[in-house]
């Protein structure tokens, strides 16, 4: 059962990618999404990019500095700094 959900998810993801590929004509269009995205989507995208970068760079630095206990508390530390 799980295998079929994974296969379905993969097929849907590839389908969305193929559909989106037909709407992108050049690199500028890809970078700014044709300037047609609403503000909540842009905000979510910027937040996801920032949070992903923090996860890669910030958590590894926290691990070196504070050990495993610091990594567990890192999301809470992130909220306190905001």
């Amino acid at each position: 059962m799980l295998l079929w959900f994974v296969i379905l998810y993969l097929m849907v993801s590839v389908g969305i990618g193929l559909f989106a590929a037909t709407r992108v004509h050049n690199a500028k269009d890809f970078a700014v999404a044709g300037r047609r995205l609403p503000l909540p989507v842009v905000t979510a995208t910027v937040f996801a990019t920032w949070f992903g970068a923090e996860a890669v760079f910030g958590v590894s630095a926290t691990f070196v500095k504070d050990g495993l206990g610091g990594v567990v508390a890192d999301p809470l530390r992130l909220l306190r700094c905001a």
Side-chain angles (χ1 to χ4, degrees):
M1 185 76 168
L2 179 63
L3 178 63
W4 290 111
F5 283 121
V6 171
I7 292 171
L8 177 65
Y9 174 78
L10 180 63
M11 291 174 62
V12 169
S13 295
V14 169
I16 291 171
L18 290 173
F19 173 73
T22 63
R23 304 186 69 151
V24 175
H25 304 292
N26 55 31
K28 183 178 179 185
D29 194 29
F30 173 79
V32 297
R35 299 193 187 274
R36 290 185 299 254
L37 294 177
L39 182 61
V41 173
V42 172
T43 304
T45 303
V46 170
F47 177 77
T49 303
W50 168 73
F51 196 79
E54 192 275 333
V56 171
F57 296 115
V59 172
S60 57
T62 301
F63 177 75
V64 169
K65 180 180 170 196
D66 299 331
L68 192 57
V71 174
V72 172
D74 193 64
L76 300 175
R77 200 174 305 156
L78 178 67
L79 293 174
R80 280 183 274 160
C81 292

